[in-house]
Amino acid sequence: MSAIKKHLDTLSRLAVLIVMFVLLVLVSPSFGTLTNILNVLRVSSLTLIIATGIALCMLVSGIDLSPGATIALTSILFGRYFQMGHSTGEMVFGIAGILAVSAVIGAANGFCVAKLSLPPFLATYGIQQIVRGLAYLLTNGLVYSGFTEQFKFIGGGSILGIHTPIIFAAILLIIVGFLLNKTTLGRRIYAVGSNRESARYSGINVTGTLMMSYILSGLIAGFAGIVYTSRLNCAEPTIGAEFAQQAIAAAAIGGISFKGGHGNVFGIIIGALMLTLITNGMTLLGIDSDWQVGATGVIIILAVLIDRNTAKKKV
Amino acid sequence: MNELKSGVRRLTRVVPMTLLLLAGMVIVFSALVGPAKYLKLSNIMNVISQCSSGVGIVALASFLAICSTGVDLSLGGIVSLAGMVTARILTAETGTLAGLRTSAPGLLLAIAILASLAVGALMGSLNGVILSRTNIPSFIITLGNFKICETLSRVLAGGSTVRISNMPQFEFIGGGSLMSVSQTVQQGARTSTRMIGILPVSALVMVLLYLLFSIIMKRTRFGTYVYAIGGNYEATEMSGVNTTKTRFTVFLLGGVIAAVTGIILTSRLTAASAANGLGLEFDGIAAAVVGGAAMTGGRSTPWRTLIGALIISVLRNGFSMVGMANSLQMIAIGAVLIIVVAVDVAKNRRR
């Protein structure tokens, strides 16, 4: 009984997700086919990856607005510097370079939040501006495209009929799930998010934990950048403008609290799938794509209002 | 040495530090660009009208939100939406509105402005209703509202820029001037005379708004409450102040102020695009903080915020005049935002 109570939040979200799915199948029977389900998963996987990074920041009562810009910069870096290599070894070197750069961006966010005590939304917005500016600076007005087949496989291939982004998202979620539930860092993240002061008094390195959360979020954004660049098969400085908002919406409906300390990876999965289903449903109902972007705004507000961990009534 | 220090302190008490910073920036930019080109009347007026149709008025809304320990990230979206509503009403092709354009353009203009202000008030009160009754972080609700406003603006735009033509009365708001001087311009071998407005209507609107809010913040109960909430929320609530109403009003006024910017911006460009105004919310925060507002609330005044807004405008204009690439400008503005807030936070920690 207590196990059910503990997971009531996640279970109720799962129930809503299933109801949504059934409704969509009823409206359009072709929605239930395996091909379409795999397609939904593939579309969700990028949001899912980015949302996982942002959720790590939200768990320490922060936010990360920079993933979209990080994705743009990493794609430009890959297009400009790392695509020359045509051997697998050179590609791996390039990917390692991209991940290092994205970790540095995450560290810059972390430095501003943890060391300089800036409000997280301001710090990550400022860094986002700088990173996006760098992406524009490095493009020289060019669009880079035509990557090697091996690289295109990362985001566009499939193994046993399952699209590679789905597999990557699954691996990432397993790693982050393990990190949050089974490691000291995970426990520290929840502790810092629940109550920073008491975490500090109980001897937790708060600054280090905050830094780690933002570095991981940066790394994950860089990883998303690689998958996205590969799937798009081109690099432009404008990409990813909507990604952060979508991922925040997914994390919010997945029950990641903006006050920190509440939420888990299952919530993120359910949130990302719900967001994709909502978008799909809107398309089925013939709603213009312009409206679909705005739906994320409504979803963020509603999700926060419904979430009892965040929206405590004032006394 | 001590005399110098106390002298500086006495000076900064009368003249805010930020005004000196503004003067310093003007000197640096005029040295970099060349005084003849930089301090030209047309460039000075350009900075002023850029300020009043952009960060200038929005900064006032940012100041109000920050002063009451919040932040309003929906302002840019409201600017875009309000500007779009104005443009749509002025260019309506069917119905009574289209008839009004020829029969009573003044009435049409009044309807457009009122509708736009009403939309601003509505979106502002959406923030206010939620943020005054719950303790949800304000950035997240206003971020969601930003998306809603931007989307509505895009839908209204219908995928194109809405251009307004043959509406001299409307153009007067953002482009007109009560007083002009003629100036001879030497362009190569050709000399031409052109009129430069030295008393722009938009700047007057801006100054009047600041004057109004300066009085409101100093002399009314609402102003006192806003400062009190920023100083100590719990204590203010305990002493019987209706904090819910005050916070609601702050965000409602923020929406109206952003709508004023939307009208002026659309008028100045004589066109509304959904991308207009997006990003102004962060310029507004930077301006308010440069002006002396603390992210923890309760400090600074409207006039100091105006100086902050002028600094941001001079900075943006200076970067362009120096010939800095757009990408470098993005980087520089991002860095300025971080540095400004970091300095503010460090200052507060020492206190």
Side-chain angles (χ1 to χ4, degrees), chain A residues 117-118 125 132-133 137 242 245 258-259 290-291 294 297 304 312 314, chain B residues 132 135-136 140 143-144 147 151 155 233 282 327 330-331 341-342 345 349:
Chain A
S117 310
L118 294 188
Y125 176 83
R132 175 105 33 210
L137 194 66
E242 303 289 338
Q245 246 109 19
F258 282 100
K259 285 277 162 76
D290 272 341
W291 288 101
V304 178
K312 263 181 208 133
K314 275 196 314 202
Chain B
S132 61
N135 60 357
I136 300 171
I140 191 66
L143 186 72
K147 271 275 108 140
T151 301
V155 170
Y233 189 92
F282 282 98
S327 51
M330 277 176 88
I331 298 173
V341 182
V345 171
R349 214 188 281 157

PDB file of all heavy atoms in Angstrom, chain A residues 117-118 125 132-133 137 242 245 258-259 290-291 294 297 304 312 314, chain B residues 132 135-136 140 143-144 147 151 155 233 282 327 330-331 341-342 345 349:
ATOM      1  N   SER A 117      26.009  33.330  -7.201  1.00  0.00           N
ATOM      2  CA  SER A 117      24.648  33.401  -6.644  1.00  0.00           C
ATOM      3  C   SER A 117      23.676  34.193  -7.506  1.00  0.00           C
ATOM      4  O   SER A 117      22.823  34.911  -6.994  1.00  0.00           O
ATOM      5  CB  SER A 117      24.643  34.007  -5.237  1.00  0.00           C
ATOM      6  OG  SER A 117      25.573  33.378  -4.437  1.00  0.00           O
ATOM      7  N   LEU A 118      23.803  34.098  -8.824  1.00  0.00           N
ATOM      8  CA  LEU A 118      22.837  34.761  -9.695  1.00  0.00           C
ATOM      9  C   LEU A 118      21.545  33.959  -9.709  1.00  0.00           C
ATOM     10  O   LEU A 118      21.574  32.742  -9.536  1.00  0.00           O
ATOM     11  CB  LEU A 118      23.373  34.843 -11.124  1.00  0.00           C
ATOM     12  CG  LEU A 118      24.584  35.702 -11.396  1.00  0.00           C
ATOM     13  CD1 LEU A 118      24.828  35.789 -12.885  1.00  0.00           C
ATOM     14  CD2 LEU A 118      24.395  37.087 -10.849  1.00  0.00           C
ATOM     15  N   TYR A 125      20.103  32.576 -18.990  1.00  0.00           N
ATOM     16  CA  TYR A 125      19.712  33.370 -20.154  1.00  0.00           C
ATOM     17  C   TYR A 125      20.921  34.138 -20.692  1.00  0.00           C
ATOM     18  O   TYR A 125      21.153  34.176 -21.896  1.00  0.00           O
ATOM     19  CB  TYR A 125      18.584  34.352 -19.821  1.00  0.00           C
ATOM     20  CG  TYR A 125      18.224  35.246 -20.982  1.00  0.00           C
ATOM     21  CD1 TYR A 125      17.367  34.801 -21.966  1.00  0.00           C
ATOM     22  CD2 TYR A 125      18.798  36.504 -21.126  1.00  0.00           C
ATOM     23  CE1 TYR A 125      17.066  35.588 -23.056  1.00  0.00           C
ATOM     24  CE2 TYR A 125      18.506  37.301 -22.213  1.00  0.00           C
ATOM     25  CZ  TYR A 125      17.631  36.837 -23.177  1.00  0.00           C
ATOM     26  OH  TYR A 125      17.349  37.624 -24.263  1.00  0.00           O
ATOM     27  N   ARG A 132      24.781  31.605 -28.059  1.00  0.00           N
ATOM     28  CA  ARG A 132      24.132  31.765 -29.366  1.00  0.00           C
ATOM     29  C   ARG A 132      24.928  32.761 -30.209  1.00  0.00           C
ATOM     30  O   ARG A 132      25.119  32.548 -31.403  1.00  0.00           O
ATOM     31  CB  ARG A 132      22.683  32.208 -29.157  1.00  0.00           C
ATOM     32  CG  ARG A 132      21.952  32.514 -30.385  1.00  0.00           C
ATOM     33  CD  ARG A 132      20.912  31.574 -30.940  1.00  0.00           C
ATOM     34  NE  ARG A 132      20.092  30.775 -30.102  1.00  0.00           N
ATOM     35  CZ  ARG A 132      19.629  29.591 -30.516  1.00  0.00           C
ATOM     36  NH1 ARG A 132      19.971  29.112 -31.701  1.00  0.00           N
ATOM     37  NH2 ARG A 132      18.847  28.888 -29.747  1.00  0.00           N
ATOM     38  N   GLY A 133      25.426  33.831 -29.564  1.00  0.00           N
ATOM     39  CA  GLY A 133      26.264  34.791 -30.269  1.00  0.00           C
ATOM     40  C   GLY A 133      27.500  34.117 -30.837  1.00  0.00           C
ATOM     41  O   GLY A 133      27.880  34.352 -31.989  1.00  0.00           O
ATOM     42  N   LEU A 137      28.763  33.803 -34.633  1.00  0.00           N
ATOM     43  CA  LEU A 137      30.102  34.288 -34.957  1.00  0.00           C
ATOM     44  C   LEU A 137      30.879  33.242 -35.756  1.00  0.00           C
ATOM     45  O   LEU A 137      31.616  33.561 -36.677  1.00  0.00           O
ATOM     46  CB  LEU A 137      30.834  34.607 -33.647  1.00  0.00           C
ATOM     47  CG  LEU A 137      32.110  35.422 -33.744  1.00  0.00           C
ATOM     48  CD1 LEU A 137      31.792  36.813 -34.239  1.00  0.00           C
ATOM     49  CD2 LEU A 137      32.776  35.497 -32.375  1.00  0.00           C
ATOM     50  N   GLU A 242      13.223  26.788 -29.662  1.00  0.00           N
ATOM     51  CA  GLU A 242      12.054  26.387 -28.872  1.00  0.00           C
ATOM     52  C   GLU A 242      12.359  25.240 -27.909  1.00  0.00           C
ATOM     53  O   GLU A 242      11.519  24.858 -27.105  1.00  0.00           O
ATOM     54  CB  GLU A 242      10.914  25.941 -29.802  1.00  0.00           C
ATOM     55  CG  GLU A 242      10.477  26.969 -30.809  1.00  0.00           C
ATOM     56  CD  GLU A 242       9.737  28.118 -30.155  1.00  0.00           C
ATOM     57  OE1 GLU A 242       9.215  27.925 -29.059  1.00  0.00           O
ATOM     58  OE2 GLU A 242       9.712  29.208 -30.746  1.00  0.00           O
ATOM     59  N   GLN A 245      12.075  25.649 -23.916  1.00  0.00           N
ATOM     60  CA  GLN A 245      10.694  25.804 -23.453  1.00  0.00           C
ATOM     61  C   GLN A 245       9.937  24.471 -23.505  1.00  0.00           C
ATOM     62  O   GLN A 245       9.213  24.126 -22.586  1.00  0.00           O
ATOM     63  CB  GLN A 245       9.961  26.814 -24.319  1.00  0.00           C
ATOM     64  CG  GLN A 245       9.575  28.043 -23.556  1.00  0.00           C
ATOM     65  CD  GLN A 245      10.403  29.221 -23.975  1.00  0.00           C
ATOM     66  OE1 GLN A 245      10.992  29.204 -25.046  1.00  0.00           O
ATOM     67  NE2 GLN A 245      10.459  30.230 -23.158  1.00  0.00           N
ATOM     68  N   PHE A 258       9.292  22.999  -9.599  1.00  0.00           N
ATOM     69  CA  PHE A 258      10.158  24.164  -9.781  1.00  0.00           C
ATOM     70  C   PHE A 258      10.757  24.625  -8.459  1.00  0.00           C
ATOM     71  O   PHE A 258      11.641  25.463  -8.435  1.00  0.00           O
ATOM     72  CB  PHE A 258       9.377  25.310 -10.423  1.00  0.00           C
ATOM     73  CG  PHE A 258       9.195  25.122 -11.887  1.00  0.00           C
ATOM     74  CD1 PHE A 258       8.008  24.638 -12.394  1.00  0.00           C
ATOM     75  CD2 PHE A 258      10.237  25.378 -12.755  1.00  0.00           C
ATOM     76  CE1 PHE A 258       7.857  24.438 -13.751  1.00  0.00           C
ATOM     77  CE2 PHE A 258      10.094  25.181 -14.108  1.00  0.00           C
ATOM     78  CZ  PHE A 258       8.893  24.700 -14.608  1.00  0.00           C
ATOM     79  N   LYS A 259      10.249  24.099  -7.354  1.00  0.00           N
ATOM     80  CA  LYS A 259      10.812  24.449  -6.057  1.00  0.00           C
ATOM     81  C   LYS A 259      11.978  23.535  -5.709  1.00  0.00           C
ATOM     82  O   LYS A 259      12.631  23.701  -4.708  1.00  0.00           O
ATOM     83  CB  LYS A 259       9.732  24.358  -4.981  1.00  0.00           C
ATOM     84  CG  LYS A 259       8.753  25.509  -5.031  1.00  0.00           C
ATOM     85  CD  LYS A 259       9.309  26.727  -4.300  1.00  0.00           C
ATOM     86  CE  LYS A 259       8.606  28.003  -4.662  1.00  0.00           C
ATOM     87  NZ  LYS A 259       7.308  28.130  -4.047  1.00  0.00           N
ATOM     88  N   ASP A 290       1.185  27.075 -35.506  1.00  0.00           N
ATOM     89  CA  ASP A 290       1.445  28.271 -34.706  1.00  0.00           C
ATOM     90  C   ASP A 290       0.905  28.109 -33.291  1.00  0.00           C
ATOM     91  O   ASP A 290       1.558  28.449 -32.315  1.00  0.00           O
ATOM     92  CB  ASP A 290       0.773  29.494 -35.346  1.00  0.00           C
ATOM     93  CG  ASP A 290       1.677  30.150 -36.374  1.00  0.00           C
ATOM     94  OD1 ASP A 290       2.897  29.890 -36.300  1.00  0.00           O
ATOM     95  OD2 ASP A 290       1.186  30.885 -37.229  1.00  0.00           O
ATOM     96  N   TRP A 291      -0.315  27.578 -33.198  1.00  0.00           N
ATOM     97  CA  TRP A 291      -0.954  27.390 -31.895  1.00  0.00           C
ATOM     98  C   TRP A 291      -0.208  26.352 -31.073  1.00  0.00           C
ATOM     99  O   TRP A 291      -0.195  26.404 -29.852  1.00  0.00           O
ATOM    100  CB  TRP A 291      -2.403  26.944 -32.067  1.00  0.00           C
ATOM    101  CG  TRP A 291      -3.305  28.004 -32.566  1.00  0.00           C
ATOM    102  CD1 TRP A 291      -3.749  28.160 -33.847  1.00  0.00           C
ATOM    103  CD2 TRP A 291      -3.878  29.083 -31.831  1.00  0.00           C
ATOM    104  NE1 TRP A 291      -4.567  29.257 -33.939  1.00  0.00           N
ATOM    105  CE2 TRP A 291      -4.668  29.840 -32.719  1.00  0.00           C
ATOM    106  CE3 TRP A 291      -3.803  29.472 -30.482  1.00  0.00           C
ATOM    107  CZ2 TRP A 291      -5.374  30.975 -32.316  1.00  0.00           C
ATOM    108  CZ3 TRP A 291      -4.501  30.596 -30.080  1.00  0.00           C
ATOM    109  CH2 TRP A 291      -5.272  31.341 -30.996  1.00  0.00           C
ATOM    110  N   GLY A 294       2.426  27.756 -28.859  1.00  0.00           N
ATOM    111  CA  GLY A 294       1.880  28.440 -27.695  1.00  0.00           C
ATOM    112  C   GLY A 294       1.345  27.490 -26.657  1.00  0.00           C
ATOM    113  O   GLY A 294       1.262  27.829 -25.472  1.00  0.00           O
ATOM    114  N   GLY A 297       3.294  27.094 -23.539  1.00  0.00           N
ATOM    115  CA  GLY A 297       3.116  28.114 -22.504  1.00  0.00           C
ATOM    116  C   GLY A 297       1.966  27.766 -21.580  1.00  0.00           C
ATOM    117  O   GLY A 297       2.089  27.807 -20.351  1.00  0.00           O
ATOM    118  N   VAL A 304       2.234  23.717 -13.513  1.00  0.00           N
ATOM    119  CA  VAL A 304       2.711  24.274 -12.246  1.00  0.00           C
ATOM    120  C   VAL A 304       1.556  24.488 -11.278  1.00  0.00           C
ATOM    121  O   VAL A 304       1.672  24.254 -10.083  1.00  0.00           O
ATOM    122  CB  VAL A 304       3.468  25.594 -12.497  1.00  0.00           C
ATOM    123  CG1 VAL A 304       3.920  26.190 -11.198  1.00  0.00           C
ATOM    124  CG2 VAL A 304       4.646  25.367 -13.400  1.00  0.00           C
ATOM    125  N   LYS A 312       1.957  25.644  -3.601  1.00  0.00           N
ATOM    126  CA  LYS A 312       1.365  25.690  -2.272  1.00  0.00           C
ATOM    127  C   LYS A 312       0.623  26.998  -2.122  1.00  0.00           C
ATOM    128  O   LYS A 312       1.143  28.050  -2.432  1.00  0.00           O
ATOM    129  CB  LYS A 312       2.465  25.578  -1.207  1.00  0.00           C
ATOM    130  CG  LYS A 312       2.600  24.158  -0.708  1.00  0.00           C
ATOM    131  CD  LYS A 312       3.664  24.082   0.364  1.00  0.00           C
ATOM    132  CE  LYS A 312       4.276  22.700   0.370  1.00  0.00           C
ATOM    133  NZ  LYS A 312       5.716  22.724   0.405  1.00  0.00           N
ATOM    134  N   LYS A 314      -0.657  30.216  -0.480  1.00  0.00           N
ATOM    135  CA  LYS A 314      -0.072  31.031   0.580  1.00  0.00           C
ATOM    136  C   LYS A 314      -1.003  31.029   1.776  1.00  0.00           C
ATOM    137  O   LYS A 314      -2.208  30.973   1.622  1.00  0.00           O
ATOM    138  CB  LYS A 314       0.114  32.455   0.069  1.00  0.00           C
ATOM    139  CG  LYS A 314       1.399  32.604  -0.665  1.00  0.00           C
ATOM    140  CD  LYS A 314       1.774  34.037  -0.836  1.00  0.00           C
ATOM    141  CE  LYS A 314       0.648  34.913  -1.296  1.00  0.00           C
ATOM    142  NZ  LYS A 314       1.158  36.125  -1.929  1.00  0.00           N
TER     143      LYS A 314
ATOM    144  N   SER B 132      -0.157  36.421  -7.360  1.00  0.00           N
ATOM    145  CA  SER B 132      -0.523  37.055  -6.094  1.00  0.00           C
ATOM    146  C   SER B 132      -1.162  36.058  -5.140  1.00  0.00           C
ATOM    147  O   SER B 132      -1.257  36.295  -3.957  1.00  0.00           O
ATOM    148  CB  SER B 132      -1.469  38.232  -6.350  1.00  0.00           C
ATOM    149  OG  SER B 132      -2.649  37.770  -6.967  1.00  0.00           O
ATOM    150  N   ASN B 135       2.655  30.843  -4.222  1.00  0.00           N
ATOM    151  CA  ASN B 135       4.063  31.234  -4.117  1.00  0.00           C
ATOM    152  C   ASN B 135       4.913  30.542  -5.182  1.00  0.00           C
ATOM    153  O   ASN B 135       6.056  30.176  -4.967  1.00  0.00           O
ATOM    154  CB  ASN B 135       4.612  30.974  -2.711  1.00  0.00           C
ATOM    155  CG  ASN B 135       4.522  29.516  -2.344  1.00  0.00           C
ATOM    156  OD1 ASN B 135       3.998  28.711  -3.112  1.00  0.00           O
ATOM    157  ND2 ASN B 135       5.046  29.153  -1.192  1.00  0.00           N
ATOM    158  N   ILE B 136       4.334  30.371  -6.374  1.00  0.00           N
ATOM    159  CA  ILE B 136       5.073  29.829  -7.514  1.00  0.00           C
ATOM    160  C   ILE B 136       6.117  30.872  -7.941  1.00  0.00           C
ATOM    161  O   ILE B 136       5.826  32.060  -7.947  1.00  0.00           O
ATOM    162  CB  ILE B 136       4.111  29.549  -8.682  1.00  0.00           C
ATOM    163  CG1 ILE B 136       3.046  28.541  -8.264  1.00  0.00           C
ATOM    164  CG2 ILE B 136       4.857  29.046  -9.901  1.00  0.00           C
ATOM    165  CD1 ILE B 136       1.946  28.371  -9.280  1.00  0.00           C
ATOM    166  N   ILE B 140       8.630  31.470 -13.858  1.00  0.00           N
ATOM    167  CA  ILE B 140       8.101  30.347 -14.634  1.00  0.00           C
ATOM    168  C   ILE B 140       6.712  30.668 -15.185  1.00  0.00           C
ATOM    169  O   ILE B 140       6.399  30.374 -16.342  1.00  0.00           O
ATOM    170  CB  ILE B 140       8.121  29.040 -13.799  1.00  0.00           C
ATOM    171  CG1 ILE B 140       7.838  27.855 -14.709  1.00  0.00           C
ATOM    172  CG2 ILE B 140       7.163  29.040 -12.632  1.00  0.00           C
ATOM    173  CD1 ILE B 140       8.906  27.627 -15.719  1.00  0.00           C
ATOM    174  N   LEU B 143       7.184  33.209 -17.893  1.00  0.00           N
ATOM    175  CA  LEU B 143       7.790  32.570 -19.073  1.00  0.00           C
ATOM    176  C   LEU B 143       6.704  31.869 -19.890  1.00  0.00           C
ATOM    177  O   LEU B 143       6.663  31.972 -21.122  1.00  0.00           O
ATOM    178  CB  LEU B 143       8.855  31.560 -18.631  1.00  0.00           C
ATOM    179  CG  LEU B 143       9.688  30.898 -19.717  1.00  0.00           C
ATOM    180  CD1 LEU B 143      10.652  31.899 -20.307  1.00  0.00           C
ATOM    181  CD2 LEU B 143      10.477  29.727 -19.152  1.00  0.00           C
ATOM    182  N   GLY B 144       5.807  31.154 -19.189  1.00  0.00           N
ATOM    183  CA  GLY B 144       4.698  30.494 -19.874  1.00  0.00           C
ATOM    184  C   GLY B 144       3.801  31.511 -20.563  1.00  0.00           C
ATOM    185  O   GLY B 144       3.403  31.332 -21.715  1.00  0.00           O
ATOM    186  N   LYS B 147       5.187  32.826 -23.820  1.00  0.00           N
ATOM    187  CA  LYS B 147       4.923  31.923 -24.952  1.00  0.00           C
ATOM    188  C   LYS B 147       3.512  32.126 -25.480  1.00  0.00           C
ATOM    189  O   LYS B 147       3.284  32.124 -26.682  1.00  0.00           O
ATOM    190  CB  LYS B 147       5.087  30.468 -24.501  1.00  0.00           C
ATOM    191  CG  LYS B 147       6.487  29.933 -24.649  1.00  0.00           C
ATOM    192  CD  LYS B 147       6.754  29.395 -26.025  1.00  0.00           C
ATOM    193  CE  LYS B 147       7.638  30.319 -26.718  1.00  0.00           C
ATOM    194  NZ  LYS B 147       8.657  30.075 -27.530  1.00  0.00           N
ATOM    195  N   THR B 151       2.633  33.464 -29.205  1.00  0.00           N
ATOM    196  CA  THR B 151       1.829  32.652 -30.109  1.00  0.00           C
ATOM    197  C   THR B 151       0.624  33.427 -30.629  1.00  0.00           C
ATOM    198  O   THR B 151       0.361  33.444 -31.833  1.00  0.00           O
ATOM    199  CB  THR B 151       1.338  31.393 -29.385  1.00  0.00           C
ATOM    200  OG1 THR B 151       2.470  30.688 -28.935  1.00  0.00           O
ATOM    201  CG2 THR B 151       0.511  30.530 -30.292  1.00  0.00           C
ATOM    202  N   VAL B 155      -0.227  34.210 -34.455  1.00  0.00           N
ATOM    203  CA  VAL B 155      -1.484  33.812 -35.091  1.00  0.00           C
ATOM    204  C   VAL B 155      -2.166  35.033 -35.700  1.00  0.00           C
ATOM    205  O   VAL B 155      -2.643  34.999 -36.838  1.00  0.00           O
ATOM    206  CB  VAL B 155      -2.400  33.113 -34.065  1.00  0.00           C
ATOM    207  CG1 VAL B 155      -3.790  32.924 -34.641  1.00  0.00           C
ATOM    208  CG2 VAL B 155      -1.810  31.771 -33.655  1.00  0.00           C
ATOM    209  N   TYR B 233       8.624  40.704   3.002  1.00  0.00           N
ATOM    210  CA  TYR B 233       7.298  40.246   2.607  1.00  0.00           C
ATOM    211  C   TYR B 233       6.466  39.829   3.818  1.00  0.00           C
ATOM    212  O   TYR B 233       5.338  40.277   3.993  1.00  0.00           O
ATOM    213  CB  TYR B 233       7.429  39.082   1.639  1.00  0.00           C
ATOM    214  CG  TYR B 233       6.123  38.686   0.999  1.00  0.00           C
ATOM    215  CD1 TYR B 233       5.750  39.252  -0.215  1.00  0.00           C
ATOM    216  CD2 TYR B 233       5.270  37.790   1.608  1.00  0.00           C
ATOM    217  CE1 TYR B 233       4.550  38.929  -0.795  1.00  0.00           C
ATOM    218  CE2 TYR B 233       4.066  37.453   1.023  1.00  0.00           C
ATOM    219  CZ  TYR B 233       3.710  38.026  -0.171  1.00  0.00           C
ATOM    220  OH  TYR B 233       2.528  37.705  -0.746  1.00  0.00           O
ATOM    221  N   PHE B 282      14.425  41.042 -20.927  1.00  0.00           N
ATOM    222  CA  PHE B 282      15.740  40.915 -20.293  1.00  0.00           C
ATOM    223  C   PHE B 282      16.497  42.243 -20.326  1.00  0.00           C
ATOM    224  O   PHE B 282      17.226  42.563 -19.392  1.00  0.00           O
ATOM    225  CB  PHE B 282      16.553  39.794 -20.942  1.00  0.00           C
ATOM    226  CG  PHE B 282      16.125  38.436 -20.470  1.00  0.00           C
ATOM    227  CD1 PHE B 282      15.260  37.655 -21.217  1.00  0.00           C
ATOM    228  CD2 PHE B 282      16.550  37.945 -19.248  1.00  0.00           C
ATOM    229  CE1 PHE B 282      14.837  36.418 -20.767  1.00  0.00           C
ATOM    230  CE2 PHE B 282      16.139  36.711 -18.785  1.00  0.00           C
ATOM    231  CZ  PHE B 282      15.285  35.941 -19.546  1.00  0.00           C
ATOM    232  N   SER B 327      26.593  39.287 -33.934  1.00  0.00           N
ATOM    233  CA  SER B 327      26.889  38.153 -33.061  1.00  0.00           C
ATOM    234  C   SER B 327      27.692  38.615 -31.851  1.00  0.00           C
ATOM    235  O   SER B 327      27.438  38.200 -30.725  1.00  0.00           O
ATOM    236  CB  SER B 327      27.659  37.087 -33.832  1.00  0.00           C
ATOM    237  OG  SER B 327      28.760  37.665 -34.486  1.00  0.00           O
ATOM    238  N   MET B 330      25.430  40.318 -29.361  1.00  0.00           N
ATOM    239  CA  MET B 330      24.706  39.357 -28.534  1.00  0.00           C
ATOM    240  C   MET B 330      25.573  38.913 -27.367  1.00  0.00           C
ATOM    241  O   MET B 330      25.136  38.866 -26.217  1.00  0.00           O
ATOM    242  CB  MET B 330      24.336  38.114 -29.355  1.00  0.00           C
ATOM    243  CG  MET B 330      23.089  38.245 -30.183  1.00  0.00           C
ATOM    244  SD  MET B 330      22.842  36.762 -31.173  1.00  0.00           S
ATOM    245  CE  MET B 330      21.911  35.774 -30.008  1.00  0.00           C
ATOM    246  N   ILE B 331      26.831  38.583 -27.688  1.00  0.00           N
ATOM    247  CA  ILE B 331      27.750  38.120 -26.650  1.00  0.00           C
ATOM    248  C   ILE B 331      27.954  39.214 -25.608  1.00  0.00           C
ATOM    249  O   ILE B 331      27.880  38.978 -24.401  1.00  0.00           O
ATOM    250  CB  ILE B 331      29.100  37.703 -27.280  1.00  0.00           C
ATOM    251  CG1 ILE B 331      28.878  36.535 -28.245  1.00  0.00           C
ATOM    252  CG2 ILE B 331      30.113  37.347 -26.206  1.00  0.00           C
ATOM    253  CD1 ILE B 331      30.097  36.159 -29.050  1.00  0.00           C
ATOM    254  N   VAL B 341      24.206  41.884 -12.875  1.00  0.00           N
ATOM    255  CA  VAL B 341      23.474  41.229 -11.786  1.00  0.00           C
ATOM    256  C   VAL B 341      24.461  40.645 -10.772  1.00  0.00           C
ATOM    257  O   VAL B 341      24.201  40.671  -9.566  1.00  0.00           O
ATOM    258  CB  VAL B 341      22.524  40.152 -12.341  1.00  0.00           C
ATOM    259  CG1 VAL B 341      21.738  39.507 -11.223  1.00  0.00           C
ATOM    260  CG2 VAL B 341      21.559  40.760 -13.338  1.00  0.00           C
ATOM    261  N   ALA B 342      25.605  40.155 -11.245  1.00  0.00           N
ATOM    262  CA  ALA B 342      26.604  39.592 -10.326  1.00  0.00           C
ATOM    263  C   ALA B 342      27.105  40.667  -9.372  1.00  0.00           C
ATOM    264  O   ALA B 342      27.254  40.430  -8.166  1.00  0.00           O
ATOM    265  CB  ALA B 342      27.755  38.977 -11.106  1.00  0.00           C
ATOM    266  N   VAL B 345      24.404  41.339  -6.805  1.00  0.00           N
ATOM    267  CA  VAL B 345      24.309  40.279  -5.795  1.00  0.00           C
ATOM    268  C   VAL B 345      25.472  40.385  -4.802  1.00  0.00           C
ATOM    269  O   VAL B 345      25.286  40.272  -3.589  1.00  0.00           O
ATOM    270  CB  VAL B 345      24.295  38.887  -6.468  1.00  0.00           C
ATOM    271  CG1 VAL B 345      24.421  37.793  -5.421  1.00  0.00           C
ATOM    272  CG2 VAL B 345      23.018  38.693  -7.264  1.00  0.00           C
ATOM    273  N   ARG B 349      25.373  41.004  -0.705  1.00  0.00           N
ATOM    274  CA  ARG B 349      25.905  40.038   0.245  1.00  0.00           C
ATOM    275  C   ARG B 349      26.761  40.739   1.292  1.00  0.00           C
ATOM    276  O   ARG B 349      26.804  40.361   2.439  1.00  0.00           O
ATOM    277  CB  ARG B 349      26.724  38.984  -0.509  1.00  0.00           C
ATOM    278  CG  ARG B 349      26.606  37.620   0.152  1.00  0.00           C
ATOM    279  CD  ARG B 349      27.547  36.648  -0.472  1.00  0.00           C
ATOM    280  NE  ARG B 349      27.050  36.138  -1.735  1.00  0.00           N
ATOM    281  CZ  ARG B 349      27.853  35.647  -2.667  1.00  0.00           C
ATOM    282  NH1 ARG B 349      29.158  35.649  -2.504  1.00  0.00           N
ATOM    283  NH2 ARG B 349      27.362  35.161  -3.770  1.00  0.00           N
TER     284      ARG B 349
END
